[in-house]
Structure formats: structure tokens, C-alpha cells
Amino acid sequence: MENYITLYKETRRKLKAYRYFGWLMGWDQETEAPELAVEYRTKQYQVLAEESYKLQSDPQFMEAIEKLHENLDQLGDQDFKVEIKNAYKDLRIVKKVPKDEFIAYQVLVSQGSQIWAKAKDNNDFSMFEPTLEKIVEFNRKFVKYLETPELKGYDILLDMYEEGFGVQEYDLFFNTLKEELVPFVLEVTKNNRQKFSRRLTKAVYPKDKQKEFSEYLIEVFNYDLKRGVLKESAHPFTSGVSTRDTRITTHYHEDNFTSSIFSTIHEMGHAIYELQNDPKYDDTSLHGGTSLGIHESQSRMYENMIARSMAFWKTHYPKLVELFPKQLKDISVEEFHRFINQAQRSLIRIEADELTYSLHVMVRYELEKQLINGKLKVKDLPNKWKSLMSKYVGKRPTTDKEGVLQDIHWSGGMIGYFPTYALGSAYAAQMYQAMNKEIDIEKEIENNNIKAINEWLRKHVHQFAQSKTPKEILNICTKEDFNPTYYVDYLKNKFSSV
Amino acid sequence: MENYITLYKETRRKLKAYRYFGWLMGWDQETEAPELAVEYRTKQYQVLAEESYKLQSDPQFMEAIEKLHENLDQLGDQDFKVEIKNAYKDLRIVKKVPKDEFIAYQVLVSQGSQIWAKAKDNNDFSMFEPTLEKIVEFNRKFVKYLETPELKGYDILLDMYEEGFGVQEYDLFFNTLKEELVPFVLEVTKNNRQKFSRRLTKAVYPKDKQKEFSEYLIEVFNYDLKRGVLKESAHPFTSGVSTRDTRITTHYHEDNFTSSIFSTIHEMGHAIYELQNDPKYDDTSLHGGTSLGIHESQSRMYENMIARSMAFWKTHYPKLVELFPKQLKDISVEEFHRFINQAQRSLIRIEADELTYSLHVMVRYELEKQLINGKLKVKDLPNKWKSLMSKYVGKRPTTDKEGVLQDIHWSGGMIGYFPTYALGSAYAAQMYQAMNKEIDIEKEIENNNIKAINEWLRKHVHQFAQSKTPKEILNICTKEDFNPTYYVDYLKNKFSSV
């Protein structure tokens, strides 16, 4: 048994290094690499994919995992048991998916984002369609390879991003939203064109001042730049590899200054989660967020529940006014608070407001479900997208740039990922309730003491990294199972009063 | 033979990928990575070093190289012959240096720059001394391992950076400088405190305007940002991996605006060299500059011979004045030209002027020679440094920050590297003469047609990448052997008139 453990840990060490190289290449690609570097980089990705695959499919390594899994009880360490369970689950892929197909797919998706970005720039779905065809095609074959009596089709993809959540769970969740939320949203957003000062909507907010405010926010949220980086990229994201290196990006639009504020805070929510993992997991396979849903619950809580609250802006609005004295002259904190909490029918998910956001996600969930079960073809995506948007969000896109081409995810092969975004907001509402029983959240926010919130979340969510499943985390944190009514109640309550 | 070729090329493909990962980690480390990321990154470096070593020392790979080397005549392709010759030469290390020592050293030097940077910040040589001790110690053992009847001691290190140049060649070169240049320099710099407008020496030059001028220079020199990046780092450098990705850094000092100008141009010289390699070498081991000396000849030619000329500023000074209208008001192009061509006794190599520069290098050459042959101990370096500076440059540093701690190189294990800097300037003078016979360089500069110079250098130097030795390149380009008198003549001529 000792030999198996040694072998497992030695291979893990190498795999962690390969993941690090891939992580860094991804970070570089999105933030820095020159345009024409793509071809050469892709060749190196190919070597990395081959070498990683070779390690993962090494018969001795696979045997070690199987033997350790057979003898789980003999492994004293609880964390190590979880690791072996996960590794055993991952073995499915190596055992059942043909190597060449798998590697070819890795290479395909490593190039996908560049192709997608060009298609989006040109507002031309046909430039992206052949790539997306291949990605969907692979995923449909992929779920066939992995099929078991218990888990089939789209469920397999969903479970990879959110363990324990399949079509059954999501259908229940989204049906609640369809029944309870969609009518409310369509009503609230019917004629809600609020009036705001032109200085909020039309003034120019210089980028360097926005950057200064980002730096201020970094202090407020206690995001540690000795263990992080803030950069710019087309689409904000968080990219972490250890509790000593978790980086974020944002973007600045001079005609939409609140976008960078909430993007930066959103990504800090993700980053703080990983930075507050117990460092003992850094060299194991358990570092990071346990699932995308739990990850998103943290970013959404920081962005929406903390940073769009009146308590937050009571304290921080003066700083914003100091940076933009002309633009925000005579604009009260109440008006600003209403401005950042507008609910309206819109087209772009990442710019969508808190109220309508999960309905954007519901569109993607239904499309993915149909793509994977074969009821929808890639070429029909643009139109289907438009009609579902019209139905759930009450607004129909006229271009693909504002429709099916807006998100990067599918270009990187991420199918089954989107639904976790909506789940995250629902988790967040449930967690917030639980936390509020122990600390007075609004008071801490108003006292500029986000540290207290960070610390509560560290104890109840972050420290566990991937050593607990999403369902376990939710139970530790809220002492009950997932319950989406907290979310619906929270939204109805907030958007009836705003 | 076919099998050996296939095996060689397949291993080369992997080694190129590993080099890419290391390259990217280095770039990230110097430009972006958060401070506390060092420990985790070092672990991944260790895996990379082990895996690279494993590939390089694989008995089948070594056998392939040896067999191919035995049958060089049968390899039709001239480039491939050169590759095999080089690979055979590199085998020395794997064959003769104990693996554990070699890997431990790779890890040591991957951490060296961070330790050095702290020591330098604190002006405290003792913080760096133990690391440098280990580095020197390893290099002294290293040359013992590699010793042959033809090549011994310091010669082995020198040859690794500049093939065909050892103590004998360098002694001749530096003796020429000692005899011809040192007396001239000490005379010229004796009482040369020129008077310049206080606006040149004391005004503040805002960083964002300096950045704008960098962007302008990128256009002027035709450095292609689709295949490159310009960033900031403590110490400017060029970092290239293919003809599609060669990046540079610069630094901005608001109280010394010409520093960024010439750093940026210097690094562009390096980058243009590698970007103009024939792309057919990208996937081989022959991509890149053939030697440090030839590399430096390009950066020095762009920086000093092109960009410090009157012809250059006749054309581009108006742009500079446009960006700094207050600071440069009433300052003539002639005064500016004199300002950027001051020769004076100074302490910092990278800020040294063109005239005294190679004498700074001579100091390092003598120190390295003595460190490796055992006549000098690391602990005595700071004082020895001071006395040699006094002797050759006529100025004695009072602190180690301005002395032995100023350069990053030794912290990365680069011993034998410095002398190539001086050699580069001498090569450049010789190449410039040859080029000037075919095109009217000053006229092209004045016509803002650097393209013509780039193209001449592409044809006569850059395209060959590492397929020719430094001596061969010099012969192709100038039709004669190395001759340092061009350099001495050029300097005496320029600095008698400025």
C-alpha cells in the first residue's frame, strides 16, 4: 500500500507541474501574448497534453489508484480518501475515451477562444460554427463513452462542474425560476425606464481614475497583491494555481464605469475563495473551489449582495465622488444606489443585472440540453437563442454578437458550465441568510470591515477547498440542503423596494 | 539512420516544449508574478528541470546523437549537421556532470534573482553572498567536469556564450582596450562636466508621455507588436521563443527620461534579430541568436550607432519636443545630441555611456577570471570590484548597490556572459563599416527608413539564426576576421568630436 501511495503522490507532483504550465500558458494567452504567437504556442500545448495524458494513463498509476480505491478504509487521512475517490472518478476518461480523440480535442479547445474572438469581432457566427460543431460533436461522443446506468447524456457534463447536480435537479431549480421569477421579472421590467442624471449615463469616466478606484477596492476587500495580480483582459476572469498565486482581470469602459467596479469585485470574490483555501491543499489535487456553483456563490455574494448594497455605498461613495468630482456632482448616494440596481431586459449576460441574470443562464441551459441530446443543431443555435431570450428575458437580440457569440465558454469546450452561474446566486442567498444569523453583515459592510465577512466565509466555505462536495459545503455552512426559495425571496424583496 | 533522426526530432520537439514552459515562467517571474508565488513556482521548476534532464540524458537519445555525429557526412541537410554538432557538444554536460548536482543547481539559479533583488534593495551583499558562493562553487566544479586537453577552466564558460572565444582571445581584445582606450577615456572624462539646461537634468518627464514615445519608437524601428510585447520590469530584457513571439521590457524613470528611450531601442535590437531569424528554424534547436556577442552587437548598433546619432535626432527630435513641450523648450537638437552622448566616469554599467561601457565590462571579466581560477574569493568581491572600477573607469563605488550588486547575471548562474557585452560593441563597429559600404546608413536614418537597415541585417546576420558561428557570421557580414581596431577608432573619432 505504501508503494501505491508513493507512486500516486509522485505522479500527482508531476501532474500538478503540468497543470501549472498549462495554467500559465492560459493566463499569458488571455492577458499578454501577441496575436501571432498562437500557432507556436499550440504546438507546445500539444506536447503538454500528450505528456499529461501519458502520466494519467500510465498503467502503474492507474493500478495504484484502483488499489488505493479498493482499500479506502485503510487510508487514515480523510482528505487523501477524497483525493483517491476523485482520481478514481477521473480514471473513467482515460479508460473510456480514445487517447487520440481526447488529445485532438485538447488541442482544438486550446485554439477555440482565438477563433471565437475573431468571429465575435466580425459578428459572424459562421466563422465560429465549424469549431463549435466539432466541440459539440466531441461532447456528444464523450458522454456516450462515459455513460453508466446511473448517469447519461448531459447529466455527465453537468456533474463534472457541479457534483450531484443533473438535469433532474436543475429542471426543478429552473422550473422554480420559470414559475416564480419570470412573471415577476417581466412585470417589473415592463415599463421601468428610470430617469437618471445624464452624467451617470453619458459622462466619460477616464480609465486611469477607474484604475485608481480598482486599487482602492483591492484594499477594501483585502485582496492581497503579494499573492495576486490585477490585469486587464477582454473578458474578466480569475486564474489561480495556489494560495500564493491567484490572479484576476478586469476591463475598463470609459462610457460604463460601473462595469469595472463590479467585475473587479466579482473576480475578487472568486480569488479570495481560493486564496483562503487551507494551504495544506496547495500540493494536492484538492486545492481550488469545490465546484463552479460554490465558486460563483462567492463572487456573486461579493458583487451583488455586498457591493450593490446601500450599506456598502454609504461608506465608499465619497471615495468615488473624490475620483470623479465633476461626473458625480450633485448625484446622491441614493440615486447612485438605484442606478447600480436597475433591473431591465438586456441582451448581454455579463452586463445583466442581478434580477434578470439567472434567466440569461436558463436560456443557455436549455440550449445545451438540446445540443447534447441531439434535438438542436449548431447551425440553428443563433435563432433558437433569439427566441428563448425573447421568452425568458423579454428581449430579442438582432445580432449574433449580442446573442450566441457573446460568451467565451463553449469555445473552450465548457458545456455544462453555464447552469452553475445561476445556481451560484441561489447558493449565495442561502449562505447569506446563515451568515447573517452569526454576524450583522450590513453593519460590518458599513464599518468597512469586509475582513469579518472574509473570515466567516473562510471558516464555513473557503478553507475546505475541494475536500467537501458542494452539497456538504452547503450543509456545513447553512445547516440545510439546497433550497432555491431563499434566492427568489431575496430577489423579490430587493427589487420590489429598489 | 532514419530511426535515429526520428528519435532525435521527437525528443527535440519535447525539449522545445519544456524550454517554452521555462521561458514563460521566466517571463512571468520577471514581469508579473506576485512576490509570494516564488516557492510554489520553484517546485514546478524542479519538475521541469528533472523531466528535461531525463529527456536529455535518455540513453536512446544520447545514442542517436552519437550515431548521427559519427555519420555527419550522411546527413544531407547542412542545418541539421550543425544541430547535431551542437547537440553532441551539449552531451558533455549530461555525460560528465552528476545529475543531482546539475538539477540542484538549476533550482538554485531559478531562485537566485529574487534573492539578489532583495540584497540589492537592502544594499546588503551578505544577503546574496551564500547564494553566489554556491553558484561560483558549482561553476568551478562544473569546469573541472568538462575539462579537456584543449579547453580548461574559465575558457569552458566563455566558449558556452561565445563559441571560439576564450581567455586568449579576450585577453588580446581587452589588452587592446587597456592600451588604446583606457588612457583616452581617463583623459576625456577628466574634467568634462559639461553644462546642460536644468530642464534636461532636473525636470520631471511623466511616465505616460515616456510610454507614448516608446510606442512611437516601436513604429520607427518596425518592431511588430503582433509578434512582440513591450512591458516593464526592474531590469530591461528581451525574451524570445520564436519568430512569432519575442518580447521586450523597459523601465521608466521620471527623473531620467533618456534611460527608457535607449533601453527600449536596445531591447528592440535584440528582438528584431530573433524576429528576423528564418522561421524555418522555429521548431529546431537553431532558433535565436548565434551568440551573446552577436546578439549584443545588434542591440548596441541600434542603441548607440543608430539612435545616438545626429541623423536620428534630426528626424525624431520634433516628436520628442511635441511630447515634452515645457521640458524641452528652447533646447536645441544639438544640445540634446550632446546630452545623450556625454562621456563620464560612472558606476552603473547599464546606465554607462557608450565610451566607458566596455571598461565596466572589463572589470567583470577580470573578476570572473579570478573567481573561476580560484585567485579571488566571493567574500572579497565587493572590495576587488571597487578597486578595479577605480583603475579602469576612474571612479570608486562607495556602496555595493552601486558596485557588485548592480547586475542580475551572476544570480542566474551566468558566468562568462559579461565579456560578450564588450565584444558586441566591437562587432557592431566592424559590421557598421561593412554595411555602410552598401547603403548610406546616415541617409536612411535621416529618412526614417530603419527598414532598410533591418533588411540589410536580416540578410547578412539575422536570418542565419544559430546555423553559423559568431566567427562565420562576422565573415559573411564583413568579409574579414574579428578586428577590434574598428571599435577603438570609432570611439576615438566620435568622442573627440562630440
Side-chain angles (χ1 to χ4, degrees):
Chain A
M1 204 56 69
E2 271 314 308
N3 286 346
Y4 288 130
I5 293 175
T6 306
L7 177 67
Y8 171 81
K9 288 190 172 172
E10 177 53 19
T11 307
R12 179 183 70 184
R13 189 175 76 94
K14 288 183 196 166
L15 284 170
K16 292 280 286 184
Y18 291 174
R19 241 168 259 148
Y20 180 91
F21 306 145
W23 164 78
L24 189 56
M25 285 162 83
W27 167 260
D28 183 66
Q29 174 175 345
E30 297 302 332
T31 60
E32 189 96 300
E35 188 184 327
L36 294 177
V38 57
E39 189 189 326
Y40 190 80
R41 180 176 58 238
T42 302
K43 289 181 193 166
Q44 321 313 320
Y45 256 124
Q46 170 123 16
V47 175
L48 189 63
E50 287 166 14
E51 294 298 307
S52 301
Y53 190 90
K54 203 186 287 168
L55 276 181
Q56 283 170 305
S57 62
D58 179 77
Q60 285 190 303
F61 179 58
M62 288 166 67
E63 187 193 324
I65 291 170
E66 280 173 340
K67 293 291 180 194
L68 292 168
H69 191 256
E70 275 169 30
N71 297 284
L72 264 191
D73 299 341
Q74 292 179 41
L75 305 173
D77 184 46
Q78 180 55 29
D79 288 334
F80 195 60
K81 282 184 194 173
V82 174
E83 238 189 285
I84 295 301
K85 268 193 219 168
N86 294 346
Y88 185 74
K89 199 172 169 187
D90 290 345
L91 271 193
R92 293 179 306 173
I93 297 176
V94 174
K95 280 174 161 176
K96 297 183 177 172
V97 182
K99 177 182 163 182
D100 293 346
E101 277 181 46
F102 188 70
I103 288 174
Y105 180 67
Q106 298 300 319
V107 173
L108 175 69
V109 297
S110 79
Q111 297 164 302
S113 72
Q114 220 117 354
I115 295 165
W116 160 80
K118 276 204 177 150
K120 186 180 171 187
D121 276 355
N122 287 287
N123 187 29
D124 182 354
F125 182 69
S126 73
M127 289 170 69
F128 181 45
E129 195 184 318
T131 303
L132 186 55
E133 283 271 20
K134 284 186 208 157
I135 290 171
V136 170
E137 197 42 53
F138 176 84
N139 276 279
R140 294 188 58 196
K141 280 203 279 179
F142 183 74
V143 299
K144 282 269 178 250
Y145 291 136
L146 296 192
E147 191 170 273
T148 64
E150 297 78 39
L151 223 52
K152 283 195 174 46
Y154 189 32
D155 277 349
I156 290 170
L157 301 177
L158 291 170
D159 180 80
M160 292 177 91
Y161 294 108
E162 199 71 20
E163 194 180 330
F165 282 76
V167 167
Q168 198 186 338
E169 288 79 2
Y170 277 115
D171 274 354
L172 270 169
F173 171 47
F174 283 118
N175 284 339
T176 305
L177 300 191
K178 258 185 241 178
E179 283 158 31
E180 307 264 332
L181 201 60
V182 171
F184 176 78
V185 168
L186 292 179
E187 181 57 34
V188 167
T189 57
K190 208 170 176 180
N191 293 303
N192 76 328
R193 214 75 207 141
Q194 293 183 62
K195 291 254 162 76
F196 293 103
S197 160
R198 283 178 60 84
R199 291 197 305 280
L200 276 174
T201 55
K202 301 284 177 197
V204 169
Y205 288 76
K207 190 170 154 175
D208 59 326
K209 292 290 167 189
Q210 291 193 48
K211 278 189 171 179
E212 245 186 88
F213 196 66
S214 290
E215 283 155 25
Y216 173 79
L217 290 172
I218 283 170
E219 296 279 327
V220 168
F221 284 86
N222 219 26
Y223 172 56
D224 181 0
L225 286 184
K226 286 193 175 174
R227 303 185 290 147
V229 168
L230 172 65
K231 275 203 88 174
E232 289 173 58
S233 67
H235 188 113
F237 65 92
T238 300
S239 181
V241 75
S242 81
T243 57
R244 300 301 179 94
D245 197 348
T246 298
R247 309 176 182 191
I248 64 174
T249 69
T250 191
H251 57 179
Y252 299 100
H253 302 302
E254 299 207 323
D255 58 353
N256 179 2
F257 75 113
T258 59
S259 174
S260 77
I261 295 175
F262 294 105
S263 290
T264 305
I265 296 171
H266 179 97
E267 301 308 332
M268 282 197 288
H270 283 305
I272 289 165
Y273 181 8
E274 298 204 2
L275 288 170
Q276 293 204 123
N277 279 185
D278 191 320
K280 74 178 173 185
Y281 295 119
D282 274 359
D283 294 332
T284 75
S285 70
L286 299 180
H287 171 75
T290 189
S291 72
L292 289 171
I294 299 291
H295 235 307
E296 199 66 11
S297 72
Q298 302 308 291
S299 56
R300 291 280 154 190
M301 193 189 299
Y302 282 84
E303 176 193 349
N304 290 329
M305 307 187 75
I306 297 171
R308 291 188 201 268
S309 70
M310 186 53 121
F312 188 80
W313 290 105
K314 268 191 197 156
T315 304
H316 302 294
Y317 191 61
K319 178 67 187 181
L320 198 63
V321 175
E322 185 190 316
L323 287 168
F324 301 108
K326 281 186 197 160
Q327 293 90 333
L328 297 177
K329 198 185 161 203
D330 295 335
I331 292 172
S332 68
V333 64
E334 287 78 13
E335 182 174 356
F336 180 74
H337 180 247
R338 265 190 296 116
F339 178 66
I340 60 173
N341 283 296
Q342 292 172 79
Q344 59 191 28
R345 301 176 184 183
S346 66
L347 294 173
I348 305 298
R349 179 184 61 83
I350 59 163
E351 303 287 348
D353 55 75
E354 190 181 1
L355 179 64
T356 57
Y357 184 82
S358 57
L359 308 180
H360 286 255
V361 173
M362 195 155 72
V363 170
R364 290 152 178 77
Y365 171 69
E366 296 210 358
L367 293 171
E368 288 187 346
K369 198 162 68 170
Q370 293 179 31
L371 279 173
I372 297 303
N373 70 21
K375 286 189 184 144
L376 179 66
K377 287 183 178 143
V378 167
K379 73 173 171 51
D380 298 325
L381 257 180
N383 280 332
K384 187 73 185 173
W385 181 290
K386 287 172 186 165
S387 68
L388 286 179
M389 277 298 288
S390 183
K391 188 171 160 195
Y392 297 143
V393 186
K395 192 163 181 173
R396 190 183 174 88
T398 53
T399 70
D400 290 338
K401 195 171 175 171
E402 295 177 320
V404 67
L405 283 175
Q406 68 182 263
D407 284 315
I408 195 174
H409 303 62
W410 291 340
S411 76
M414 293 184 275
I415 299 176
Y417 183 127
F418 280 122
T420 64
Y421 281 134
L423 201 59
S425 295
Y427 286 161
Q430 188 171 338
M431 288 176 180
Y432 189 96
Q433 282 294 327
M435 175 162 47
N436 211 30
K437 286 179 194 156
E438 297 184 19
I439 59 177
D440 185 341
I441 301 179
E442 284 201 9
K443 208 179 105 196
E444 299 296 358
I445 293 172
E446 224 178 300
N447 290 340
N448 194 15
N449 189 25
I450 304 284
K451 265 190 188 172
I453 297 170
N454 288 350
E455 179 53 20
W456 194 91
L457 290 169
R458 189 193 66 71
K459 250 193 195 156
H460 296 83
V461 180
H462 301 173
Q463 63 160 319
F464 302 112
Q466 300 180 28
S467 71
K468 310 282 180 200
T469 66
K471 287 179 173 175
E472 286 169 348
I473 293 275
L474 216 60
N475 267 291
I476 290 168
C477 178
T478 71
K479 300 184 183 65
E480 54 180 332
D481 290 336
F482 175 55
N483 179 353
T485 58
Y486 289 107
Y487 178 50
V488 174
D489 290 349
Y490 160 75
L491 287 179
K492 284 188 174 172
N493 184 36
K494 177 166 181 178
F495 286 89
S496 302
S497 74
V498 180
Chain B
M1 203 55 71
E2 273 312 307
N3 286 346
Y4 288 130
I5 293 175
T6 305
L7 178 69
Y8 171 81
K9 288 190 173 171
E10 177 52 19
T11 306
R12 178 184 71 184
R13 190 175 75 95
K14 288 183 198 166
L15 284 171
K16 291 280 286 184
Y18 291 175
R19 242 168 257 147
Y20 180 91
F21 307 145
W23 163 77
L24 189 55
M25 285 163 83
W27 166 260
D28 183 67
Q29 174 175 346
E30 298 302 331
T31 60
E32 188 96 301
E35 187 184 327
L36 295 177
V38 57
E39 189 189 324
Y40 190 79
R41 180 177 57 238
T42 301
K43 289 181 193 167
Q44 320 313 319
Y45 255 125
Q46 171 123 16
V47 174
L48 189 65
E50 287 167 13
E51 294 298 305
S52 301
Y53 190 89
K54 204 187 286 170
L55 276 180
Q56 282 170 305
S57 61
D58 179 77
Q60 284 191 303
F61 179 59
M62 288 166 67
E63 186 194 324
I65 292 170
E66 280 173 340
K67 292 291 178 194
L68 291 169
H69 191 256
E70 275 170 28
N71 297 285
L72 263 191
D73 298 341
Q74 292 178 42
L75 306 174
D77 184 48
Q78 179 56 29
D79 288 334
F80 194 62
K81 283 184 193 171
V82 174
E83 239 189 283
I84 295 301
K85 267 192 220 168
N86 294 346
Y88 185 76
K89 197 171 171 188
D90 290 345
L91 269 193
R92 293 179 305 174
I93 296 175
V94 173
K95 280 173 159 174
K96 296 184 176 170
V97 182
K99 177 183 163 182
D100 293 346
E101 275 181 49
F102 189 69
I103 288 175
Y105 179 67
Q106 297 302 318
V107 173
L108 174 70
V109 297
S110 79
Q111 298 163 302
S113 73
Q114 219 116 357
I115 295 164
W116 160 79
K118 275 202 177 152
K120 187 180 171 187
D121 276 355
N122 287 287
N123 188 28
D124 182 355
F125 181 70
S126 73
M127 289 171 69
F128 181 46
E129 193 183 320
T131 302
L132 186 57
E133 283 271 20
K134 284 184 208 157
I135 289 170
V136 170
E137 196 42 52
F138 175 84
N139 276 280
R140 294 188 58 196
K141 281 204 278 181
F142 182 76
V143 299
K144 282 269 178 252
Y145 291 135
L146 296 192
E147 191 170 275
T148 64
E150 298 78 37
L151 222 52
K152 284 194 173 49
Y154 190 35
D155 277 349
I156 290 171
L157 301 178
L158 291 169
D159 180 79
M160 291 176 91
Y161 294 107
E162 199 72 19
E163 195 180 329
F165 281 78
V167 167
Q168 197 185 340
E169 287 80 3
Y170 278 115
D171 275 354
L172 271 170
F173 171 46
F174 284 117
N175 285 339
T176 305
L177 299 190
K178 257 184 242 178
E179 283 158 30
E180 305 268 331
L181 201 59
V182 172
F184 176 76
V185 169
L186 292 178
E187 182 57 33
V188 168
T189 57
K190 207 171 180 178
N191 294 304
N192 74 328
R193 214 70 206 146
Q194 291 184 65
K195 289 256 161 73
F196 293 103
S197 160
R198 282 179 60 84
R199 291 196 307 280
L200 274 175
T201 55
K202 300 284 177 200
V204 170
Y205 289 74
K207 190 170 153 174
D208 59 327
K209 293 289 166 192
Q210 290 192 49
K211 279 189 171 180
E212 247 186 87
F213 196 66
S214 289
E215 282 154 26
Y216 172 81
L217 289 172
I218 283 171
E219 296 280 326
V220 168
F221 283 87
N222 219 26
Y223 171 56
D224 181 1
L225 285 184
K226 285 192 175 176
R227 302 185 289 146
V229 169
L230 172 65
K231 275 203 89 173
E232 289 172 58
S233 67
H235 189 112
F237 66 93
T238 299
S239 181
V241 75
S242 81
T243 57
R244 299 300 179 97
D245 197 350
T246 298
R247 309 175 183 192
I248 64 173
T249 69
T250 190
H251 57 180
Y252 298 100
H253 303 302
E254 298 207 324
D255 58 353
N256 181 1
F257 75 113
T258 60
S259 173
S260 77
I261 294 174
F262 295 105
S263 289
T264 306
I265 295 171
H266 179 97
E267 301 306 334
M268 282 197 289
H270 283 305
I272 289 164
Y273 181 7
E274 299 204 2
L275 287 171
Q276 293 203 123
N277 278 186
D278 190 320
K280 74 178 174 185
Y281 294 120
D282 274 358
D283 294 331
T284 75
S285 70
L286 299 179
H287 171 76
T290 191
S291 73
L292 289 171
I294 299 289
H295 235 308
E296 199 65 13
S297 73
Q298 302 308 290
S299 56
R300 292 280 153 193
M301 193 190 297
Y302 281 84
E303 176 193 348
N304 290 331
M305 307 187 76
I306 296 171
R308 291 187 201 269
S309 70
M310 186 52 120
F312 187 81
W313 291 104
K314 268 191 198 157
T315 303
H316 302 293
Y317 190 62
K319 178 69 187 180
L320 198 63
V321 175
E322 186 190 316
L323 287 169
F324 302 107
K326 281 186 197 161
Q327 293 90 335
L328 297 178
K329 199 185 160 203
D330 297 334
I331 292 171
S332 68
V333 65
E334 287 77 14
E335 181 173 355
F336 180 74
H337 181 246
R338 264 191 295 116
F339 178 66
I340 60 172
N341 283 296
Q342 292 170 79
Q344 59 191 29
R345 301 175 183 183
S346 66
L347 295 172
I348 306 297
R349 179 185 60 84
I350 60 162
E351 303 286 348
D353 56 75
E354 189 181 1
L355 179 65
T356 56
Y357 184 83
S358 58
L359 307 180
H360 287 255
V361 173
M362 195 156 72
V363 169
R364 290 150 179 79
Y365 170 71
E366 296 211 356
L367 294 171
E368 288 187 347
K369 197 162 72 171
Q370 293 180 33
L371 280 173
I372 298 302
N373 69 22
K375 286 188 183 147
L376 179 65
K377 288 183 178 144
V378 168
K379 74 172 169 56
D380 298 325
L381 256 181
N383 279 331
K384 187 73 184 175
W385 182 291
K386 288 172 185 165
S387 69
L388 285 180
M389 277 299 288
S390 182
K391 188 169 160 198
Y392 297 142
V393 186
K395 191 162 180 172
R396 191 181 172 90
T398 54
T399 72
D400 290 337
K401 195 173 175 170
E402 296 177 320
V404 67
L405 283 175
Q406 69 183 260
D407 284 314
I408 195 173
H409 302 63
W410 290 339
S411 75
M414 293 184 275
I415 299 176
Y417 183 127
F418 280 121
T420 64
Y421 282 132
L423 199 59
S425 296
Y427 286 161
Q430 189 171 339
M431 287 176 182
Y432 189 97
Q433 282 294 324
M435 174 162 49
N436 211 29
K437 285 179 194 156
E438 297 185 19
I439 59 178
D440 185 341
I441 301 179
E442 285 200 9
K443 209 179 103 197
E444 299 296 358
I445 294 173
E446 225 178 300
N447 290 341
N448 193 16
N449 189 25
I450 303 284
K451 265 189 187 173
I453 296 170
N454 288 351
E455 180 52 22
W456 194 91
L457 290 168
R458 190 193 66 73
K459 250 193 196 158
H460 295 83
V461 180
H462 301 174
Q463 62 159 320
F464 302 112
Q466 300 179 27
S467 70
K468 310 282 179 199
T469 67
K471 287 180 172 173
E472 286 168 348
I473 292 276
L474 215 60
N475 266 291
I476 290 169
C477 177
T478 72
K479 300 184 182 66
E480 55 179 333
D481 291 336
F482 176 56
N483 179 353
T485 57
Y486 289 106
Y487 177 52
V488 174
D489 290 350
Y490 159 76
L491 286 178
K492 284 188 174 170
N493 183 37
K494 177 166 181 177
F495 287 89
S496 302
S497 74
V498 180

